[in-house]
Amino acid sequence: YDQELTALKQLKTLAIGDVGGRTMAMRVRMTKMEEPESYTEVIWDKAEFDIKPDDSMFTLFYLKSGS
């Protein structure tokens, strides 16, 4: 939504599946409302849960470097 609360994009879940004993969206698509042929789609084929990421992943340097 923009500042006038006009919808700009729409997120749709296109597939749901079970991974590691959890139900989750397996395929999602973000579409521009004014350009429905233009979209970004994310597909998960696996996922890991209950992992402990290293604290260094959340430093400004790490985030900027894309390591």
Side-chain angles (χ1 to χ4, degrees), residues 34 51 67:
E34 293 186 6
I51 60 171
S67 298

Side-chain angles (χ1 to χ4, degrees), residues 8-10 29-33 35-39:
L8 300 177
K9 297 181 180 183
Q10 180 181 50
R29 181 180 291 175
M30 180 73 74
T31 307
K32 294 179 180 181
M33 300 296 279
E35 297 177 59
E37 69 285 347
S38 176
Y39 60 85

